[in-house]
Amino acid sequence: QVQLVESGGGLVQAGGSLRLSCVVSRRTFTADGMGWFRVAPGKEREFVAAISWSAVTHYADSVKGRFTISRDNAANTVYLQMNSLKHEDTAVYYCARHIYDRTWNEAHDYDFWGQGTQVTVSS
């Protein structure tokens, strides 16, 4: 069983920044791709960003240039640096483990999920 624990969410003004963290309890973390998704009020789950085991990154168009995903294999942690936040970024953010050789932007291609962390951007 793999456990993922997110942290770093909170309330921030539009234009501000937050950094989310996701700690993964898995000894082979270095071999895993990881992703971030979000669920905004009244909306479907949405892909945000992903990073492969070799640190190749993928982003949703809505966050390109503003968000950066990274990983620290020594700490079994994946990060999501969010800059220039907008009100529409308000959501619960989830990290998830990617299933090898599947697509990067579909939730069904991830098998383990964290509990989520709330990000609220005031306008």
Side-chain angles (χ1 to χ4, degrees):
Q1 189 74 5
V2 180
Q3 289 187 321
L4 297 85
V5 180
E6 302 100 333
S7 61
L11 173 63
V12 64
Q13 287 189 331
S17 298
L18 281 175
R19 188 176 81 154
L20 305 184
S21 300
C22 174
V23 179
V24 182
S25 66
R26 176 168 159 87
R27 284 183 291 178
T28 57
F29 172 74
T30 54
D32 290 333
M34 299 295 299
W36 286 96
F37 287 75
R38 65 188 181 187
V39 180
K43 293 192 176 181
E44 302 272 322
R45 184 164 40 188
E46 174 189 29
F47 169 74
V48 175
I51 186 166
S52 75
W53 66 270
S54 58
V56 174
T57 57
H58 310 266
Y59 294 97
D61 288 342
S62 59
V63 307
K64 264 181 198 171
R66 300 189 298 122
F67 290 10
T68 302
I69 188 170
S70 62
R71 63 190 299 155
D72 180 348
N73 289 335
N76 274 30
T77 302
V78 60
Y79 301 100
L80 185 68
Q81 178 67 44
M82 305 185 295
N83 298 331
S84 302
L85 282 162
K86 305 175 182 179
H87 177 67
E88 51 264 42
D89 294 317
T90 295
V92 178
Y93 284 72
Y94 298 88
C95 70
R97 191 188 73 162
H98 178 254
I99 300 171
Y100 179 74
D101 212 26
R102 302 280 284 271
T103 68
W104 288 100
N105 61 343
E106 297 287 345
H108 60 248
D109 290 327
Y110 293 76
D111 54 0
F112 291 99
W113 294 77
Q115 81 289 349
T117 186
Q118 175 71 48
V119 171
T120 303
V121 184
S122 62
S123 53

